[in-house]
Amino acid sequence: MGLEVIPNKLQNNRLNSFGIMHTQEIDHKNIYYPPGGILIWIIIFLELITFGATLVVMVYYGNQESELFHDSSLKLNATYGMVNTMLLLTSGFFMAISVTELKRGNKETFKKLLLFAMLFGCFFLCLKGFEYYEKINEGISIGYNTFFSFYWMLTLFHVIHVIVGLVILTSVYFGMKKENSNTVIEDVEASAAFWHMCDLIWIILFPIIYLLF
Amino acid sequence: MHKTAAITWIVLLVLTLASALFSKLESKYVILVILILAALKFLGIVFQFMEMKKAHVFWKVLIIGFLVLFVIALLIMV
């Protein structure tokens, strides 16, 4: 049975217990269906609260040891941070337009744009890896001082999220590549929401770690 | 839709550049400006890229509430 895609209307295509595909519209205005689904948004809020609270604690310690935090932040390269922000934002842009293309029924364009989103995510990881390599070569590890304990902890957790996001997007890409794909638009939206969550976390990490002190 | 997304993307890049440039200035308002620019970028991603503009008002209030609380907590701690 073919998959009918109506522009600007979200559809949830699933096989029922008799193996018959049925289609139902997703109403994002409904409180239970934010874009990507309620579960991914619960995860997003939990992640934002966790990272947000840790950043507030970091700023509190920064106030207590202002000289140490200022000197330590000078050891970071803000240009790397800025370029990494731009790479993630570019990846997020490709992700957003890829989802729009899928909703329009352009599966091939969706796949190409998804690859671009993943590519910029990989560029982010490469630059982050280079930055970590430099820091380790300078002898700045997780126990160097309070500032760098926060730096390593927060950025490494973020990197783990980006890697998990890339794994999810890869799975979506290969899922959509299959002839009889059972990947539904809601799955793609949830994956996109997770990917954008990595942008959101970085958007609040970057100014505090690289610019504030 | 792509036009809106492209405009949002360019604005986000410009705001990122602006926050890096503002951080070099010697002023007591630098922290406030950096936080406001970060908050604007946050809203741009949530409402345009994540399509939260289409969601129920409950989710919009929740995400804006988080952002406001986070910025206030940071300003208190600074």
Side-chain angles (χ1 to χ4, degrees), chain A residues 53-73:
Chain A
T54 315
L55 284 168
V56 171
V57 173
M58 185 187 184
V59 172
Y60 171 77
Y61 276 101
N63 200 18
Q64 304 290 310
E65 304 171 68
S66 53
E67 210 165 304
L68 174 92
F69 270 61
H70 177 68
D71 293 342
S72 300
S73 76

Side-chain angles (χ1 to χ4, degrees), chain A residues 28-29 31 35 41 44 48 52 59-60 63 82 89-90 93 97 100-101 103 189 193 196 203 207-208 211-212, chain B residues 1-2 5-6 9 16-17 20 23 31 34 38 45-46 49-52 54-56 59 66 70 74 77-78:
Chain A
H28 284 154
K29 284 283 178 215
I31 194 166
W41 275 97
I44 290 171
L48 287 176
V59 172
Y60 171 77
N63 200 18
M82 190 187 71
L89 289 173
T90 308
F93 165 70
I97 59 172
T100 311
E101 285 298 328
K103 286 177 193 169
E189 273 200 317
H196 290 305
I203 286 298
I208 293 168
L211 308 177
L212 209 68
Chain B
M1 171 56 195
H2 285 0
W9 172 56
T16 304
L17 199 65
S23 69
I31 293 171
I34 289 172
I45 293 170
V46 167
F49 287 176
M50 298 175 99
E51 298 190 318
M52 191 51 104
K54 291 180 184 170
H56 189 276
W59 296 102
F66 163 79
F70 176 64
L74 285 177
M77 291 298 169
V78 168

Side-chain angles (χ1 to χ4, degrees), chain A residues 39-201:
Chain A
L39 286 176
I40 195 73
W41 275 97
I42 291 171
I43 292 171
I44 290 171
F45 275 104
L46 286 174
E47 295 281 355
L48 287 176
I49 290 166
T50 309
F51 274 92
T54 315
L55 284 168
V56 171
V57 173
M58 185 187 184
V59 172
Y60 171 77
Y61 276 101
N63 200 18
Q64 304 290 310
E65 304 171 68
S66 53
E67 210 165 304
L68 174 92
F69 270 61
H70 177 68
D71 293 342
S72 300
S73 76
L74 291 178
K75 289 191 171 84
L76 291 180
N77 190 335
T79 310
Y80 288 165
M82 190 187 71
V83 173
N84 259 342
T85 310
M86 290 176 162
L87 290 173
L88 270 192
L89 289 173
T90 308
S91 175
F93 165 70
F94 281 118
M95 190 73 242
I97 59 172
S98 73
V99 174
T100 311
E101 285 298 328
L102 186 66
K103 286 177 193 169
R104 286 177 183 167
N106 303 328
K107 204 173 156 184
E108 289 307 311
T109 316
F110 161 75
K111 283 193 286 182
K112 276 180 203 159
L113 292 170
L114 183 63
L115 279 180
F116 275 113
M118 289 158 65
L119 185 69
F120 278 91
C122 290
F123 287 157
F124 172 88
L125 288 180
C126 288
L127 188 56
K128 205 86 206 98
F130 184 70
E131 189 184 347
Y132 284 162
Y133 176 76
E134 274 191 356
K135 288 286 154 284
I136 289 166
N137 267 354
E138 290 167 25
I140 300 172
S141 62
I142 196 158
Y144 188 74
N145 63 26
T146 319
F147 176 86
F148 279 103
S149 295
F150 277 107
Y151 164 82
W152 282 104
M153 188 175 66
L154 287 164
T155 58
L156 274 174
F157 270 123
H158 178 261
V159 162
I160 291 168
H161 283 76
V162 174
I163 293 168
V164 171
L166 279 173
V167 171
I168 293 170
L169 294 187
T170 308
S171 135
V172 167
Y173 177 79
F174 285 107
M176 292 299 282
K177 232 181 157 184
K178 283 182 196 163
E179 240 354 91
N180 299 316
S181 169
N182 60 356
T183 309
V184 295
I185 187 75
E186 200 181 12
D187 299 335
V188 177
E189 273 200 317
S191 311
F194 186 91
W195 189 244
H196 290 305
M197 180 190 76
C198 297
D199 290 10
L200 283 185
I201 294 171

Side-chain angles (χ1 to χ4, degrees), chain B residues 12-62:
Chain B
L12 291 172
L13 294 184
V14 171
L15 290 179
T16 304
L17 199 65
S19 59
L21 293 174
F22 269 115
S23 69
K24 306 281 179 208
L25 296 178
E26 292 286 333
S27 165
K28 59 179 179 177
Y29 297 112
V30 166
I31 293 171
L32 186 66
V33 172
I34 289 172
L35 289 179
I36 289 171
L37 291 178
L40 288 174
K41 284 193 281 180
F42 188 95
L43 291 175
I45 293 170
V46 167
F47 281 88
Q48 290 298 333
F49 287 176
M50 298 175 99
E51 298 190 318
M52 191 51 104
K53 61 183 177 183
K54 291 180 184 170
H56 189 276
V57 70
F58 169 78
W59 296 102
K60 294 176 188 173
V61 170
L62 217 57

